[in-house]
Amino acid sequence: MGRKKLKQKLDLSEFTNVAAVYAAKACSKPGAATGDWAFSYNANAYILAHEAGHAWFDLQHANSELVEGEDLEYGDRGNVMGANSAFHSLNPEQQRRIGVTQYKIKEVKRNGKYLIQRTGGSTKMPHALRVVDENDPNTSYYISYKPLVPVTETVDDSNMYYDYFGGVVVHRANTANVYSPQYFLGSLTIPYPDGNMLPDWVEFVREVNSDVVMVRINKPTFPSRK
């Protein structure tokens, strides 16, 4: 049976955001975003979520810098805006930009031990710590706790686990430029096998329970907590 073409046009004037799913053979690309439109060419829900992040929230790709000077696009595989095939959560700066009020961020200005709860936790503890770079007020570092369910992907004909993009992780972000990407710098608890760019003033102390961890901030320019 042949396909019939739709002659009736859809009135989308009342909608501010639009998502469209195309047949797999419509395009060689997995997805795209333009204006307020998000496209998935193969009905993949993850791809649609990724493109909606671009089209609806102006989010950029989740990059990584695991070697000095590296700018690896899609490099944060623990983020739906990076390169992965799972609904991993956004990083703290992305949560702040789109206004997720349930995600609590605490700005740290003193050295000491701090508790943070896992992403998705519902206690009064912060989900992330924010440390502003004293040399550049537009640059912030975020420490958060992201337990990840390991995802197996095939890379170069071999299976790899990307769970080292979880645990107690550190990101760097330009908070003044909404169109700038954020950078995954490494995990304090699950070391990346090829290195990291973790700042030397933060360290993992211990896991309090499955939902809460303790970290220590020790910046030379910070006073100690009273």
Side-chain angles (χ1 to χ4, degrees), residues 58-82:
D58 288 328
L59 296 179
Q60 306 303 305
H61 290 143
N63 297 358
S64 66
E65 183 182 346
L66 299 172
V67 179
E68 187 173 2
E70 175 189 68
D71 185 349
L72 183 59
E73 191 173 17
Y74 300 100
D76 186 356
R77 292 181 177 272
N79 189 312
V80 71
M81 299 306 294

Short mmCIF file of all heavy atoms in Angstrom, two decimals, residues 58-82:
data_model
loop_
_atom_site.label_atom_id
_atom_site.label_comp_id
_atom_site.label_asym_id
_atom_site.label_seq_id
_atom_site.Cartn_x
_atom_site.Cartn_y
_atom_site.Cartn_z
N ASP A 58 19.09 26.35 24.82
CA ASP A 58 20.35 26.96 24.38
C ASP A 58 21.57 26.29 25.02
O ASP A 58 22.61 26.93 25.23
CB ASP A 58 20.39 28.46 24.68
CG ASP A 58 19.47 29.25 23.77
OD1 ASP A 58 19.29 28.83 22.61
OD2 ASP A 58 18.92 30.28 24.22
N LEU A 59 21.46 25.01 25.34
CA LEU A 59 22.60 24.30 25.92
C LEU A 59 23.59 23.91 24.83
O LEU A 59 23.20 23.54 23.73
CB LEU A 59 22.12 23.05 26.67
CG LEU A 59 21.22 23.28 27.88
CD1 LEU A 59 20.82 21.96 28.50
CD2 LEU A 59 21.93 24.16 28.92
N GLN A 60 24.86 23.99 25.18
CA GLN A 60 25.91 23.59 24.26
C GLN A 60 26.34 22.16 24.57
O GLN A 60 25.86 21.54 25.52
CB GLN A 60 27.10 24.54 24.36
CG GLN A 60 26.73 26.00 24.17
CD GLN A 60 26.03 26.26 22.84
OE1 GLN A 60 26.56 25.93 21.79
NE2 GLN A 60 24.85 26.85 22.89
N HIS A 61 27.24 21.62 23.78
CA HIS A 61 27.70 20.26 24.02
C HIS A 61 28.48 20.18 25.33
O HIS A 61 29.13 21.14 25.75
CB HIS A 61 28.58 19.78 22.87
CG HIS A 61 27.80 19.54 21.62
ND1 HIS A 61 28.29 19.83 20.37
CD2 HIS A 61 26.55 19.04 21.42
CE1 HIS A 61 27.38 19.52 19.46
NE2 HIS A 61 26.32 19.05 20.07
N ALA A 62 28.40 19.03 25.97
CA ALA A 62 29.13 18.78 27.20
C ALA A 62 30.51 18.26 26.84
O ALA A 62 30.65 17.11 26.40
CB ALA A 62 28.38 17.77 28.07
N ASN A 63 31.51 19.10 26.98
CA ASN A 63 32.86 18.77 26.56
C ASN A 63 33.70 18.26 27.72
O ASN A 63 33.25 18.22 28.87
CB ASN A 63 33.54 19.99 25.93
CG ASN A 63 32.83 20.44 24.66
OD1 ASN A 63 31.87 19.84 24.22
ND2 ASN A 63 33.32 21.52 24.08
N SER A 64 34.93 17.89 27.43
CA SER A 64 35.86 17.47 28.47
C SER A 64 37.23 18.06 28.20
O SER A 64 37.58 18.39 27.07
CB SER A 64 35.96 15.94 28.54
OG SER A 64 36.56 15.42 27.36
N GLU A 65 37.97 18.23 29.28
CA GLU A 65 39.39 18.61 29.19
C GLU A 65 40.13 17.71 30.17
O GLU A 65 40.24 18.01 31.36
CB GLU A 65 39.61 20.07 29.54
CG GLU A 65 41.07 20.50 29.38
CD GLU A 65 41.31 21.95 29.77
OE1 GLU A 65 40.33 22.70 29.90
OE2 GLU A 65 42.49 22.30 29.94
N LEU A 66 40.60 16.58 29.67
CA LEU A 66 41.29 15.61 30.51
C LEU A 66 42.80 15.68 30.31
O LEU A 66 43.56 15.05 31.05
CB LEU A 66 40.78 14.21 30.21
CG LEU A 66 39.28 14.03 30.50
CD1 LEU A 66 38.78 12.69 30.01
CD2 LEU A 66 38.99 14.19 31.99
N VAL A 67 43.22 16.42 29.33
CA VAL A 67 44.62 16.71 29.07
C VAL A 67 44.74 18.21 28.90
O VAL A 67 43.86 18.84 28.31
CB VAL A 67 45.13 15.97 27.81
CG1 VAL A 67 46.60 16.30 27.55
CG2 VAL A 67 44.94 14.47 27.95
N GLU A 68 45.79 18.82 29.41
CA GLU A 68 45.92 20.28 29.36
C GLU A 68 45.81 20.79 27.92
O GLU A 68 46.49 20.31 27.02
CB GLU A 68 47.25 20.72 29.95
CG GLU A 68 47.38 22.23 30.08
CD GLU A 68 48.63 22.65 30.82
OE1 GLU A 68 49.41 21.76 31.20
OE2 GLU A 68 48.80 23.87 31.02
N GLY A 69 44.92 21.76 27.74
CA GLY A 69 44.71 22.35 26.43
C GLY A 69 43.73 21.60 25.56
O GLY A 69 43.38 22.07 24.47
N GLU A 70 43.25 20.45 26.01
CA GLU A 70 42.31 19.67 25.22
C GLU A 70 40.92 20.30 25.27
O GLU A 70 40.50 20.84 26.29
CB GLU A 70 42.22 18.24 25.76
CG GLU A 70 41.18 17.36 25.08
CD GLU A 70 40.99 16.04 25.81
OE1 GLU A 70 40.47 16.05 26.94
OE2 GLU A 70 41.35 15.01 25.24
N ASP A 71 40.22 20.26 24.17
CA ASP A 71 38.82 20.69 24.11
C ASP A 71 38.09 19.63 23.30
O ASP A 71 37.92 19.76 22.10
CB ASP A 71 38.71 22.07 23.46
CG ASP A 71 37.28 22.60 23.48
OD1 ASP A 71 36.36 21.83 23.81
OD2 ASP A 71 37.07 23.78 23.14
N LEU A 72 37.67 18.57 23.99
CA LEU A 72 37.05 17.44 23.31
C LEU A 72 35.54 17.62 23.30
O LEU A 72 34.87 17.50 24.32
CB LEU A 72 37.42 16.12 24.00
CG LEU A 72 36.89 14.84 23.36
CD1 LEU A 72 37.40 14.72 21.92
CD2 LEU A 72 37.29 13.63 24.17
N GLU A 73 35.01 17.94 22.13
CA GLU A 73 33.57 18.14 21.99
C GLU A 73 32.85 16.83 22.25
O GLU A 73 33.31 15.77 21.86
CB GLU A 73 33.23 18.66 20.60
CG GLU A 73 31.79 19.14 20.48
CD GLU A 73 31.51 19.82 19.15
OE1 GLU A 73 32.31 19.63 18.20
OE2 GLU A 73 30.51 20.54 19.06
N TYR A 74 31.72 16.88 22.93
CA TYR A 74 30.94 15.71 23.36
C TYR A 74 31.69 14.86 24.39
O TYR A 74 31.30 13.75 24.69
CB TYR A 74 30.59 14.80 22.17
CG TYR A 74 29.77 15.38 21.07
CD1 TYR A 74 30.36 15.81 19.89
CD2 TYR A 74 28.38 15.49 21.17
CE1 TYR A 74 29.61 16.33 18.85
CE2 TYR A 74 27.62 16.01 20.14
CZ TYR A 74 28.25 16.43 18.98
OH TYR A 74 27.50 16.94 17.95
N GLY A 75 32.79 15.38 24.93
CA GLY A 75 33.68 14.53 25.72
C GLY A 75 33.13 14.06 27.05
O GLY A 75 33.65 13.10 27.62
N ASP A 76 32.11 14.72 27.59
CA ASP A 76 31.54 14.31 28.87
C ASP A 76 30.47 13.25 28.64
O ASP A 76 29.31 13.56 28.35
CB ASP A 76 30.95 15.52 29.60
CG ASP A 76 30.49 15.18 31.01
OD1 ASP A 76 30.55 14.00 31.40
OD2 ASP A 76 30.06 16.10 31.73
N ARG A 77 30.83 12.00 28.78
CA ARG A 77 29.89 10.91 28.53
C ARG A 77 28.96 10.67 29.71
O ARG A 77 28.12 9.77 29.66
CB ARG A 77 30.65 9.64 28.17
CG ARG A 77 31.35 9.73 26.82
CD ARG A 77 32.07 8.44 26.46
NE ARG A 77 32.69 8.52 25.15
CZ ARG A 77 32.10 8.21 24.02
NH1 ARG A 77 30.84 7.79 24.04
NH2 ARG A 77 32.73 8.31 22.86
N GLY A 78 29.10 11.44 30.75
CA GLY A 78 28.16 11.37 31.86
C GLY A 78 27.09 12.43 31.78
O GLY A 78 26.50 12.80 32.80
N ASN A 79 26.81 12.92 30.59
CA ASN A 79 25.89 14.03 30.39
C ASN A 79 25.09 13.79 29.12
O ASN A 79 25.64 13.38 28.10
CB ASN A 79 26.69 15.33 30.28
CG ASN A 79 25.84 16.58 30.29
OD1 ASN A 79 24.86 16.69 29.58
ND2 ASN A 79 26.23 17.56 31.10
N VAL A 80 23.79 14.04 29.16
CA VAL A 80 22.95 13.83 27.98
C VAL A 80 23.36 14.73 26.82
O VAL A 80 23.10 14.42 25.66
CB VAL A 80 21.45 14.05 28.33
CG1 VAL A 80 21.16 15.52 28.56
CG2 VAL A 80 20.53 13.47 27.27
N MET A 81 24.06 15.83 27.12
CA MET A 81 24.55 16.72 26.07
C MET A 81 25.94 16.33 25.57
O MET A 81 26.52 17.00 24.74
CB MET A 81 24.56 18.18 26.56
CG MET A 81 23.20 18.73 26.95
SD MET A 81 21.96 18.57 25.63
CE MET A 81 22.64 19.65 24.39
N GLY A 82 26.47 15.25 26.08
CA GLY A 82 27.74 14.71 25.60
C GLY A 82 27.49 13.56 24.66
O GLY A 82 26.41 13.42 24.08
#
